[in-house]
């Protein structure tokens, strides 16, 4: 393995192999496996889990890491090609990324969507530039339209819980006061499709997942024996659900238009997951969310603190699966 950018770059069997390695490292720690290796971590955007789980995972394998948060104690990094750098950025990624890569054995980068142009964000224009500047194994810590580490951890969580392959997996839009990126919904959709699940995307009008993401997921689902559909009918979607995966995202109908997004979501505050959502779900339904989550805005206390929630299990698995990724990239 040379880089870890998108689950779709791998065959399902390769992902299952990686998850087996993750389980092996969880059951039989290898505290010297990556002795002498260094992981660089660059965060253009905030994090709790990704930052802490990568540093902890690297340390548990005997390696070390450094963290750069551009503009916070280090130079602000310009990402635009051909920019006239007379503003706040003192350094360009064209120098910054290769220099950082030269200090380490693998580099992880978090760079969220710009949120202005859907096609540009879906094409991962910035992450492709970063990839081209990095001559070491590159790890996607969340890009414009992908979060493969989260998706891999969620796949392991489903396996840990012995959720059947063809379970009904509902990926539901939930309320947030402002537009959030498509990275997690895109990665989650693809992961569940690749795992062979029956995936239903539930969302209000104006928030349909883009056709490109749906088409990619449908291809993966049909290869794995599952299915992918999209609806605005909450009752129909949640009936018989074995997994309810909640996530917030911005309008796709008016992508990049903050005012239009605000108008669309103004009447959608009832898209907060509460107990009645589970009335017709499967008896053993589980609730998932990647975190962070706004309590009683996106998901009610009663759900996050209730028996169906596996959100902390998902977060723990971030460290475990990332150890497997690091092991594969650096051993
Ligand atoms: N789920 C996730 O990536 O969490 P952080 O944003 O805290 O890293």
């Amino acid at each position: 393995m040379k880089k870890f950018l998108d689950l779709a770059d791998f065959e399902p069997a390769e992902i299952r192999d990686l998850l087996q390695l993750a389980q092996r490292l969880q059951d039989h720690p290898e505290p010297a496996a990556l002795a002498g290796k260094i992981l660089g971590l660059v965060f253009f955007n905030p994090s709790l889990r990704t930052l802490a789980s990568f540093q902890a995972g690297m340390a548990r394998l005997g390696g070390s890491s450094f963290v750069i948060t551009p503009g916070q104690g280090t130079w602000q990094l310009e990402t635009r090609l051909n920019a006239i750098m007379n503003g706040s950025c003192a350094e360009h990624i064209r120098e910054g990324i290769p220099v950082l890569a030269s200090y380490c054995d693998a580099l992880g980068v978090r760079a969220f969507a710009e949120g202005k142009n859907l096609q540009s964000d879906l094409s991962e224009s910035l992450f492709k530039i970063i990839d081209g500047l990095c001559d070491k194994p590159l790890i996607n810590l969340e890009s414009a339209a992908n979060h493969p580490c989260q998706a891999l951890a969620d796949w392991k969580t489903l396996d840990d819980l012995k959720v059947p392959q063809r379970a009904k997996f509902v990926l539901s839009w939930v309320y947030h006061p402002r537009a959030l990126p498509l990275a997690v919904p895109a990665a989650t959709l693809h992961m569940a499709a690749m795992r062979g699940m029956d995936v239903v995307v539930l969302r209000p009008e104006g928030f349909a997942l883009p056709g490109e993401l749906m088409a990619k997921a449908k291809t993966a689902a049909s290869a794995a024996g599952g299915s992918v559909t999209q609806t605005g009918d909450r009752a129909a979607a949640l009936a018989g659900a074995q997994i309810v995966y909640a996530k917030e995202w911005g309008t796709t109908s008016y992508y990049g238009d903050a005012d239009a997004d605000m108008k669309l979501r103004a009447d959608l505050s009832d898209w907060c997951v509460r107990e009645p959502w589970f009335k017709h779900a499967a008896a053993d339904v589980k609730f998932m969310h990647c975190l962070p989550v706004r309590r009683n805005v996106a998901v009610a206390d009663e759900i996050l603190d209730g028996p169906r929630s596996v959100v902390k299990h998902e977060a723990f698995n971030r460290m475990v699966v990332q150890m497997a990724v690091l092991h594969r990239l650096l051993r």
Side-chain angles (χ1 to χ4, degrees):
M1 193 159 90
K2 296 208 167 17
K3 50 183 82 171
F4 189 71
L5 304 181
D6 183 353
L7 283 201
D9 294 337
F10 301 90
E11 294 297 326
E14 293 176 301
I15 297 295
R16 291 198 168 89
D17 199 39
L18 197 53
L19 292 173
Q20 267 185 13
L21 173 59
Q23 192 61 51
R24 194 187 90 205
L25 292 171
Q26 187 177 346
D27 295 341
H28 305 285
E30 294 186 18
L34 300 186
K37 302 287 186 187
I38 298 172
L39 172 68
L41 296 165
V42 182
F43 284 89
F44 287 96
N45 311 96
S47 166
L48 185 146
R49 277 144 293 276
T50 307
L51 171 58
S53 59
F54 263 105
Q55 287 202 286
M58 194 63 185
R60 283 172 187 273
L61 291 168
S64 55
S65 53
F66 64 80
V67 177
I68 299 290
T69 47
Q72 294 175 43
T74 61
W75 305 119
Q76 185 77 44
L77 290 178
E78 177 60 75
T79 57
R80 295 169 301 155
L81 295 181
N82 307 120
I84 297 169
M85 290 174 53
N86 58 1
S88 57
C89 295
E91 182 155 13
H92 202 283
I93 55 169
R94 290 180 73 89
E95 286 77 45
I97 293 293
V99 167
L100 291 171
S102 74
Y103 300 147
C104 60
D105 299 289
L107 189 70
V109 178
R110 167 167 283 196
F112 286 178
E114 206 181 358
K116 290 182 183 160
N117 181 296
L118 181 60
Q119 288 315 317
S120 170
D121 286 341
L122 289 179
S123 72
E124 298 283 15
S125 50
L126 173 58
F127 224 81
K128 281 181 182 154
I129 293 168
I130 292 170
D131 189 17
L133 294 169
C134 181
D135 65 355
K136 296 286 170 58
L138 180 65
I139 305 170
N140 181 345
L141 308 183
E142 188 172 338
S143 60
N146 219 318
H147 198 350
C149 296
Q150 183 66 50
L152 189 64
D154 290 338
W155 188 324
K156 183 174 188 301
T157 304
L158 293 166
D159 288 356
D160 289 351
L161 297 169
K162 304 201 180 337
V163 176
Q165 183 174 323
R166 283 216 72 175
K168 184 174 183 183
F169 184 103
V170 179
L171 169 61
S172 179
W173 185 91
V174 287
Y175 183 77
H176 189 278
R178 62 180 177 81
L180 293 190
L182 287 168
V184 171
T188 304
L189 168 69
H190 200 82
M191 176 278 296
M194 224 178 143
R195 193 175 179 271
M197 306 185 80
D198 288 320
V199 188
V200 180
V201 180
L202 169 63
R203 80 300 180 267
E205 210 55 43
F207 294 88
L209 289 185
E212 296 92 321
L213 297 179
M214 292 297 289
K216 183 178 160 190
K218 279 181 183 171
T219 303
S222 63
S227 62
V228 173
T229 57
Q230 186 157 212
T231 180
D233 184 339
R234 193 188 297 169
L238 294 172
Q242 284 150 287
I243 298 291
V244 176
Y245 193 115
K247 186 66 190 93
E248 312 82 344
W249 65 85
T251 178
T252 45
S253 298
Y254 304 97
Y255 195 83
D257 183 337
D259 291 340
D261 184 281
M262 288 298 275
K263 274 188 203 144
L264 265 179
R265 69 180 59 236
D267 297 325
L268 298 176
S269 56
D270 70 318
W271 285 72
C272 173
V273 183
R274 297 187 186 281
E275 194 57 37
W277 283 46
F278 297 91
K279 197 168 171 195
H280 300 294
D284 59 350
V285 60
K286 298 292 181 215
F287 174 78
M288 300 178 76
H289 188 289
C290 66
L291 304 180
V293 66
R294 287 180 183 239
R295 281 176 171 253
N296 305 309
V297 172
V299 186
D301 283 343
E302 73 219 35
I303 305 305
L304 288 165
D305 299 331
R308 302 186 194 94
S309 175
V310 296
V311 298
K312 284 179 272 189
H313 189 152
E314 293 173 79
F316 173 74
N317 274 338
R318 288 293 305 276
M319 181 179 74
V320 179
V321 300
Q322 289 158 195
M323 286 167 68
V325 170
L326 292 167
H327 200 281
R328 273 286 150 75
L329 289 173
L330 295 174
R331 279 278 281 186

